[in-house]
């Protein structure tokens, strides 16, 4: 799978077949309106405070940095600003260029081997370091540094202690524990010779549809503020506590700024908050973390009022550096500079000029970017003073971190001490966090805590699945394709139940489907969301399992058999689970507990004497929604009507407050009730148009485009340029056009697959019609963001029947696609038209229309 991820990424950049692709690596400049064009957003620097930063500048360090800088060539300086990825550079590249830093992305491992040992990690760190200080080729001997996403423990490394994701830690509301988690994480990271961690994420998420909600501690800026400070102290130490000493790593507060507040919870989207809210809601993690001395900040993919953060000089330079007083460096996010208006991945002086100090440039874009930056300085596009400032900041952090004195990565204090990875004392910290993160939402008749001396049935597909309970950013980027064997030393939730029950003389039986031979005393059902990361986790509503409700069926079956049901719900966000709550006697929100699933049982069960071992102490750090569309319900809203408020959580013995008659009516959003337009002369959000030829893909961004023999141009139907013409040439592999979602993230079009819906397209044929013209759709297969599903129908007969040179509608029953396995709730590309023969036609409105299936031009199943 790792190879597949790697492949699809580079393939997309060439632009290739797989319709599920990761957009992050590619050259797409995204046009943004807003503050770029019309500076409508008032900028008020007084909103931002000057921070009292605990780490002070020392004259000695500054003199040293100055002396280093004075000896550097332009090429050496630019190399400090380039951060390539381990899949795209060799040790020889490091020797030749002397990059200031490098990273491994999520699911990137030494030698491309998921099962790399700590020794393999150290070996790579050591070679890269030695190459960077070897002055034989580039003349410089400045130690490089390696950055990694250790976002819930050292999560790319097999056997590491994996903590609950941030959302669960938020429910624990225990900053001292959080500092300890960060200290442990720093230790495990140092065992592998790595210097720098891309954490904490301090997004204060306001819309729970965002796929990164679980990376957020809370919707409440106060918790984010306090945790940011605690994490930074745990990772880096503090001036009064081993600051960046031998057992510490550099931290990164990310993603600056406003990532948790985009419209619709859209990953990499647009934040339109006022400047006051930007500071008071989204800025508090920076106040906490930077005051504690965090040495780096990562720029965010999102925009503020239409302007991408990577190019926002006001926020990066005027606010963060000048006003708040941050004197470390600002690193970019995964080719984020390529999204700035006028930029692509290989060229973006705008970002440096805005104040970006390090370009995170995975893929092979690093080389042209490096060359272009050098040229842009020579041409005066980027002032030398800006480069000197960036490099000063990078060197300042390296000096503070002692990188010039510390031994090489293989010789450091913890290097190679593999017994520290997943050490028992570390797991004990994680187990405490798991226990404290559980939030008890419902407890009818005091079903919980359970006595261990019982016949317990354990059901649900998350009961014995460490990967699923750990979520995204777990060994692989998306957290998918892991098995329990990938977590040596870890435990599932079932493991813990079995241990407690067996020790007390009861019986625990695992059966995912809830089957049994002897009727159990109680059923614990563990179920929830499949893992996801970043935009792949974006959703349009919070309805759990809309369309399948298979877990609800399991709960209902057990209830019907008169078995008390305890739900343990695994999720990266609060979700609308009214029906599941109604079908449960007790309900525990367990979030994404990580590798120490057995600790859940410490709380569910009493000891053998019937005494509570650990009470339920977690409290909601996110408000729990009353409806599937209540995604932006947040503490302090004027009209605050969640199902369960921020801070809610029962302790044992507390009276149950939730009824078992919660409203289960499916709520249809306006968008879902009236069909859905895809192209109405312009593309609707979030769709993008691509030409396809064989294995190449080209995004269409202008009025004409061509790819191999296929030509595209806009034409007029009712008004100017509200349609487009396609001229296909013969092509052995087929060519065509596809409309796919932005970044190929899945869109929930569940309603468009139902309601007797049709796909309706306006066509005008302008040539003879070949014997095969395929209309297809592409979706993401369930639970696997990199897998895909397809369906297609041949519409050549329908086209042949149209009057030539005349606009006419063709409608196709949505069931023609669903019966081939297309999942509308996971839609990626709802329209793909391909031909292998010469063909010329024009296309206008494309839409899903309801209640028309019976009169469609193509009806399925064909009766
Ligand atoms: C994410 C960052 C992460 C980086 C490196 C990006 O896509 O937004 O949070 O640090 O990748 O993996
Ligand atoms: C890469 C991951 C990386 C992610 C960041 C993916 O394409 O495979 O390693 O963390 O992009 O967005």
């Amino acid at each position: 799978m790792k190879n597949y991820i790697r492949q699809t990424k580079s393939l997309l950049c060439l632009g290739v077949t797989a319709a599920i692709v990761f957009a992050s690596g590619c050259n797409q400049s995204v046009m943004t309106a807003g503050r770029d064009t019309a500076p409508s957003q008032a900028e008020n620097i007084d909103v931002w405070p000057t921070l009292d930063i605990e780490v002070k500048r020392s004259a000695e360090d500054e003199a040293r940095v100055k002396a280093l800088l004075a000896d550097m060539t332009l090429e050496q300086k630019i190399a400090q600003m380039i951060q390539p990825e381990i899949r795209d550079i060799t040790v020889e590249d490091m020797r030749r260029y002397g990059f200031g830093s490098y990273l491994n992305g999520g699911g990137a491992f030494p030698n491309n081997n998921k099962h790399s040992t700590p020794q393999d990690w150290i070996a790579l760190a050591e070679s890269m370091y030695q190459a960077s200080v070897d002055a034989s080729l580039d003349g410089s001997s400045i130690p490089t540094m390696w950055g990694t996403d250790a976002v819930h423990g050292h999560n790319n490394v097999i056997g590491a202690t994996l903590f609950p994701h941030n959302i669960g830690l938020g429910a624990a509301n225990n900053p001292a524990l959080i500092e300890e988690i960060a200290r442990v994480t720093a230790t495990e990271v140092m065992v592998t010779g790595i210097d720098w961690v891309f954490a904490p994420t301090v997004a204060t998420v306001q819309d729970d549809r965002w796929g990164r909600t679980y990376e957020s501690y809370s919707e409440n800026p106060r918790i984010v503020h306090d945790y940011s400070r605690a994490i930074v102290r745990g990772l880096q130490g503090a001036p009064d506590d081993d600051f960046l000493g031998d057992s510490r790593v550099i931290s990164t507060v990310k993603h600056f700024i406003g990532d948790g507040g985009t419209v619709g919870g859209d990953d990499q989207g647009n934040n339109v908050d006022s400047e006051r809210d930007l500071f008071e809601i989204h800025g508090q993690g920076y106040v906490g973390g930077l005051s504690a001395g965090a040495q780096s900040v990562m720029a965010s993919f999102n925009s503020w009022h239409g302007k991408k953060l990577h190019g926002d000089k006001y926020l990066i330079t005027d606010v963060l550096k000048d006003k708040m007083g941050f004197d470390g460096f600002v690193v970019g996010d995964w080719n984020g500079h390529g999204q700035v208006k006028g930029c692509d991945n290989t060229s973006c002086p705008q970002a440096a000029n805005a104040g970006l100090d390090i370009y995170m440039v995975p893929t092979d874009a690093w080389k042209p970017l490096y060359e272009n930056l050098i040229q842009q300085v020579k041409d005066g596009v980027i002032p030398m003073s800006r480069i000197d400032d960036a490099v000063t900041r990078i060197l300042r952090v390296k000096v503070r971190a002692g990188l010039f004195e510390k031994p090489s990565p293989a010789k450091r204090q913890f290097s190679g001490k593999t017994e520290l990875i997943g050490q028992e004392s570390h797991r004990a910290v994680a187990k405490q966090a798991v226990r404290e993160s559980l939030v008890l939402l419902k407890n009818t008749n005091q079903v919980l805590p359970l006595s261990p001396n019982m016949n317990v049935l354990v059901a649900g597909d998350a009961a014995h699945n460490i990967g699923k309970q750990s979520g995204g950013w777990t060994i692989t980027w998306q957290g998918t394709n892991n098995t329990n064997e990938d977590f040596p030393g870890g435990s599932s939730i079932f493991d813990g139940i079995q241990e407690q029950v067996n020790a007390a003389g009861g019986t625990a039986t695992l059966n995912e489907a809830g089957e049994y031979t002897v009727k159990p005393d109680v059923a614990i059902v563990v179920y929830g969301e499949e893992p996801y990361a970043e935009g792949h986790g974006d959703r349009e509503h919070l309805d759990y399992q809309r369309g399948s409700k298979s877990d609800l069926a399991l709960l209902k079956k057990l209830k019907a058999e008169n078995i008390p049901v305890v739900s343990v719900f695994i999720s990266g966000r609060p979700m609308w689970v009214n029906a599941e709550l109604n079908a449960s006697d007790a309900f525990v929100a367990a979030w994404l507990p990580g590798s120490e699933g057995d600790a859940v049982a410490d709380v569910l069960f009493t000891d053998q004497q019937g005494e509570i071992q650990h009470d339920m102490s977690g409290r909601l750090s996110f408000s729990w929604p009353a409806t599937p569309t209540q995604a932006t319900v947040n503490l302090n809203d004027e009209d605050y009507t969640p199902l369960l408020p921020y801070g809610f959580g029962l302790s044992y013995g507390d009276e149950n407050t939730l009824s078992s008659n919660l409203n289960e009516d499916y709520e249809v959003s306006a968008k879902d009730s009236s069909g859905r337009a895809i192209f109405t002369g312009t593309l609707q959000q979030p769709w993008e148009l691509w030409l396809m030829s064989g294995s190449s893909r080209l995004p269409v961004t202008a009025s004409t485009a061509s790819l191999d023999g296929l030509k595209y141009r806009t034409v007029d139907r009712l008004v100017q340029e509200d349609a487009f013409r396609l001229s296909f040439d013969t092509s052995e592999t087929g060519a065509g056009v596809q409309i796919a979602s932005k970044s190929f993230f899945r869109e929930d079009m569940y309603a468009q697959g139902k309601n007797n819906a049709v796909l309706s397209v306006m066509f005008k044929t302008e040539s003879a019609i070949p014997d095969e013209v395929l209309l297809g759709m592409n979706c993401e297969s369930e639970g696997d963001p990199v897998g895909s599903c397809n369906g297609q129908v041949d519409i050549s007969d329908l086209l042949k029947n149209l009057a030539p040179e005349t606009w006419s509608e063709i409608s196709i029953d949505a069931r023609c696609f669903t019966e081939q396995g297309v999942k509308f709730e996971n839609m990626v590309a709802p329209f793909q038209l391909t031909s292998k023969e010469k063909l010329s036609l024009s296309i206008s409105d494309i839409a899903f229309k309801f209640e028309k299936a019976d009169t469609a031009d193509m009806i399925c199943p064909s009766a």
Side-chain angles (χ1 to χ4, degrees):
M1 182 45 68
K2 59 195 177 293
N3 286 335
Y4 181 69
I5 290 181
R6 160 105 181 103
Q7 238 179 353
T8 39
K9 179 160 61 77
S10 47
L11 288 180
L12 176 70
C13 304
L14 301 169
V16 183
T17 4
I20 302 283
V21 266
F22 302 98
S24 12
C26 305
N27 286 358
Q28 260 176 277
S29 64
V30 174
M31 293 300 178
T32 49
R35 290 192 312 133
D36 265 343
T37 43
S40 57
Q41 178 62 27
E43 290 169 354
N44 178 6
I45 197 81
D46 295 335
V47 163
W48 308 87
T50 295
L51 300 178
D52 180 14
I53 295 179
E54 284 168 33
V55 176
K56 308 289 177 209
R57 241 181 262 182
S58 95
E60 196 189 325
D61 288 354
E62 293 302 304
R64 190 164 170 197
V65 168
K66 207 167 164 192
L68 283 164
L69 187 74
D71 270 349
M72 291 170 78
T73 63
L74 173 60
E75 287 73 14
Q76 290 165 347
K77 290 176 183 175
I78 297 299
Q80 288 298 311
M81 298 174 68
I82 296 280
Q83 179 178 85
E85 212 256 358
I86 58 169
R87 287 170 287 192
D88 298 292
I89 51 158
T90 61
V91 171
E92 285 321 299
D93 290 327
M94 178 62 85
R95 199 181 315 280
R96 160 133 190 239
Y97 293 91
F99 305 112
S101 60
Y102 62 106
L103 88 148
N104 70 298
F109 325 96
N111 313 318
N112 260 320
N113 174 11
K114 172 173 169 178
H115 292 275
S116 279
T117 63
Q119 285 307 338
D120 297 327
W121 289 81
I122 293 171
L124 182 60
E126 181 70 11
S127 322
M128 287 292 188
Y129 173 95
Q130 293 301 350
S132 72
V133 297
D134 174 356
S136 61
L137 278 180
D138 79 321
S140 138
S141 57
I142 298 172
T144 190
M145 36 182 190
W146 179 346
T148 195
D149 292 294
V151 298
H152 64 139
H154 197 6
N155 45 255
N156 289 290
V157 174
I158 296 280
T161 310
L162 300 188
F163 297 91
H165 268 296
N166 291 349
I167 194 166
L169 300 181
N173 203 358
N174 181 349
L177 172 65
I178 287 342
E179 183 171 337
E180 187 58 13
I181 288 174
R183 197 192 55 75
V184 167
T185 302
T187 303
E188 296 202 8
V189 166
M190 295 219 61
V191 174
T192 57
I194 296 179
D195 314 277
W196 173 15
V197 159
F198 301 138
T201 295
V202 299
T204 309
V205 173
Q206 303 293 292
D207 188 323
D208 304 347
R209 290 172 292 186
W210 190 30
R212 306 189 79 159
T213 300
Y214 66 83
E215 295 187 58
S216 171
Y217 302 114
S218 178
E219 70 192 26
N220 180 357
R222 191 70 236 162
I223 293 188
V224 177
H225 172 281
D226 295 352
Y227 271 26
S228 179
R229 182 179 166 74
I231 292 268
V232 168
R233 286 182 63 98
L235 290 172
Q236 293 193 159
D240 58 358
D241 180 19
D242 185 32
F243 181 66
L244 289 177
D246 290 344
S247 59
R248 306 289 184 159
V249 293
I250 297 162
S251 74
T252 301
V253 189
K254 73 184 187 184
H255 311 81
F256 187 77
I257 185 176
D259 50 353
T262 60
V263 176
D266 188 16
D267 191 47
Q268 313 191 359
N270 188 20
N271 182 314
V272 295
D273 284 345
S274 70
E275 193 163 0
R276 171 71 50 200
D277 284 350
L278 195 65
F279 170 63
E280 285 181 357
I281 299 172
H282 304 288
Q284 292 307 305
Y286 300 91
V287 177
L290 301 186
S291 303
Q295 292 298 295
S296 73
V297 167
M298 189 183 291
S300 188
F301 276 124
N302 66 270
S303 313
W304 184 48
H305 290 275
K307 185 166 190 171
K308 285 280 170 184
L309 255 295
H310 280 68
D312 197 324
K313 175 171 180 296
Y314 173 67
L315 288 172
I316 298 182
T317 299
D318 302 354
V319 168
L320 176 66
K321 293 178 171 176
D322 294 347
K323 185 73 193 285
M324 292 174 90
F326 171 63
D327 69 1
F329 59 76
V330 176
V331 61
D333 198 351
W334 199 267
N335 277 336
H337 57 272
Q339 298 190 18
V340 173
K341 190 178 177 193
C343 293
D344 65 37
N345 296 347
T346 63
S347 175
C348 192
Q350 291 89 328
N353 284 336
L356 189 80
D357 301 310
I358 295 180
Y359 289 78
M360 183 188 285
V361 53
T363 72
D364 52 10
W366 64 264
K367 202 168 184 185
L369 183 75
Y370 165 85
E371 283 156 4
N372 286 330
L373 281 169
I374 291 170
Q375 195 56 44
Q376 285 150 359
V377 178
K378 287 183 178 159
D379 293 345
V381 178
I382 307 173
M384 194 63 196
S385 57
R386 175 70 268 275
I387 300 298
D388 284 345
D389 172 57
V391 179
T392 297
R393 288 167 177 274
I394 297 163
L395 294 176
R396 178 182 291 138
V397 173
K398 291 188 174 187
V399 167
R400 281 176 176 164
L403 287 188
F404 293 89
E405 285 77 40
K406 278 182 181 159
S408 67
K411 303 209 179 77
R412 293 182 191 156
Q413 187 183 344
F414 295 147
S415 297
K417 297 223 160 85
T418 48
E419 66 278 12
L420 290 173
I421 300 244
Q423 198 193 50
E424 216 174 305
S425 68
H426 295 177
R427 294 189 190 273
V429 176
K431 288 180 205 295
Q432 181 187 347
V434 171
R435 292 191 293 262
E436 294 189 14
S437 68
L438 303 178
V439 185
L440 181 59
L441 304 186
K442 180 175 181 182
N443 197 13
T444 319
N445 304 325
Q446 307 291 319
V447 174
L448 290 179
L450 299 168
S451 153
N453 183 14
M454 289 203 294
N455 176 7
V456 181
L457 173 67
V458 184
D461 66 4
H464 194 45
N465 187 336
I466 308 178
K468 182 157 173 168
Q469 81 196 19
S470 298
W473 297 105
T474 296
I475 311 179
T476 60
W477 177 41
Q478 291 294 317
T480 47
N481 293 93
N482 295 318
T483 65
N484 285 355
E485 286 64 51
D486 292 326
F487 299 89
S491 56
S492 70
I493 293 175
F494 171 69
D495 288 333
I497 296 173
Q498 185 178 39
E499 199 187 310
Q500 306 248 346
V501 171
N502 285 354
T507 53
T509 314
L510 176 69
N511 187 299
E512 280 194 11
E515 311 289 346
Y516 52 84
T517 41
V518 180
K519 187 175 172 191
D521 300 318
V522 65
I524 302 176
V525 189
V526 191
Y527 57 95
E529 286 191 293
E530 294 298 332
Y532 50 75
E534 301 190 44
H536 287 289
D538 284 6
R539 297 290 177 265
E540 272 165 40
H541 56 75
L542 298 175
D543 189 356
Y544 176 63
Q545 281 195 326
R546 176 177 296 182
S548 87
K549 293 279 176 198
S550 55
D551 291 320
L552 178 62
L554 171 58
L555 303 176
K556 283 188 165 163
K557 166 189 122 71
L558 294 164
K559 259 214 106 102
E561 291 156 1
N562 272 319
I563 300 165
V565 173
V566 174
S567 280
V568 176
F569 186 57
I570 300 294
S571 72
R573 56 186 132 214
M575 299 197 81
W576 188 65
V577 285
N578 278 9
E580 289 79 3
L581 280 162
N582 286 341
S584 307
D585 296 282
F587 191 103
V588 178
W591 314 109
L592 298 167
S595 64
E596 307 310 302
D598 62 355
V600 172
D602 299 348
V603 189
L604 296 183
F605 289 92
T606 65
D607 66 13
Q608 297 178 25
Q609 284 70 47
E611 298 293 326
I612 291 172
Q613 309 182 71
H614 297 274
D615 202 348
M616 281 283 178
S617 60
R619 299 293 178 258
L620 291 179
S621 64
F622 283 84
S623 308
W624 198 277
T627 71
T629 51
Q630 202 184 42
T632 57
V633 61
N634 292 304
L635 172 74
N636 298 333
D637 283 355
E638 265 170 35
D639 185 16
Y640 186 60
T641 53
L643 179 71
L644 296 165
Y646 174 91
F648 181 86
L650 299 173
S651 296
Y652 285 145
D654 285 353
E655 197 184 320
N656 180 59
T657 50
L658 267 191
S659 92
S660 291
N661 272 320
L662 299 173
N663 176 28
E664 296 186 13
D665 286 348
Y666 166 68
E667 196 195 54
V668 182
S669 70
K671 189 156 138 195
D672 283 353
S673 63
S674 56
R676 182 158 171 185
I678 306 287
F679 180 86
T680 53
T682 55
L683 279 166
Q684 300 298 300
Q685 289 287 353
W687 308 110
E688 291 175 343
L689 193 87
W690 300 71
L691 299 189
M692 319 185 278
S693 169
S695 55
S696 309
R697 292 281 178 284
L698 179 79
V700 175
T701 52
S703 57
T704 60
S706 64
L707 182 63
D708 301 335
L710 174 67
K711 293 196 177 55
Y712 165 100
R713 63 156 304 165
T714 54
V715 292
D716 306 344
R717 180 182 150 223
L718 301 174
V719 296
Q720 296 94 311
E721 302 194 85
D722 59 348
F724 56 89
R725 172 179 299 143
L726 297 170
S727 321
F728 296 79
D729 207 348
T730 47
S731 148
E732 228 169 84
T733 45
V737 63
Q738 91 169 359
I739 295 181
S741 61
K742 184 179 135 231
S743 303
F744 301 93
F745 293 147
R746 69 188 204 175
E747 270 295 294
D748 187 337
M749 299 186 70
Y750 178 70
Q752 283 72 47
K754 299 267 173 212
N755 298 327
N756 288 319
V758 298
L759 172 62
S760 143
V761 186
M762 292 296 292
F763 281 108
K764 178 151 74 101
T765 58
E766 288 150 348
S767 71
I769 307 295
D771 285 337
E772 185 181 80
V773 180
L774 297 176
L775 184 63
M777 294 185 187
N778 176 275
C779 61
E780 184 179 291
S781 57
E782 191 52 56
D784 182 5
V786 294
S788 71
C789 50
N790 298 296
Q792 51 191 23
V793 296
D794 186 351
I795 59 164
S796 69
D797 287 344
L798 296 179
L799 291 173
K800 284 176 185 166
N801 282 339
L802 299 182
E805 301 289 344
T806 312
W807 282 105
S808 336
E809 179 182 355
I810 284 184
S811 60
I812 297 161
D813 185 349
R815 284 174 302 188
C816 301
F817 299 97
T818 51
E819 71 180 11
Q820 294 184 55
V822 170
K823 291 197 176 328
F824 275 69
E825 58 272 37
N826 294 354
M827 189 63 77
V828 175
F831 181 86
Q832 295 176 318
L833 186 80
T834 51
S835 170
K836 289 182 176 171
E837 303 295 327
K838 274 190 191 299
L839 168 67
S840 177
L841 49 69
S842 294
I843 296 177
S844 174
D845 290 0
I846 303 174
F848 287 90
K849 297 183 178 170
F850 287 168
E851 309 302 343
K852 300 222 186 291
D854 299 340
T855 54
D857 299 311
M858 186 185 288
I859 299 182
C860 298
S862 35

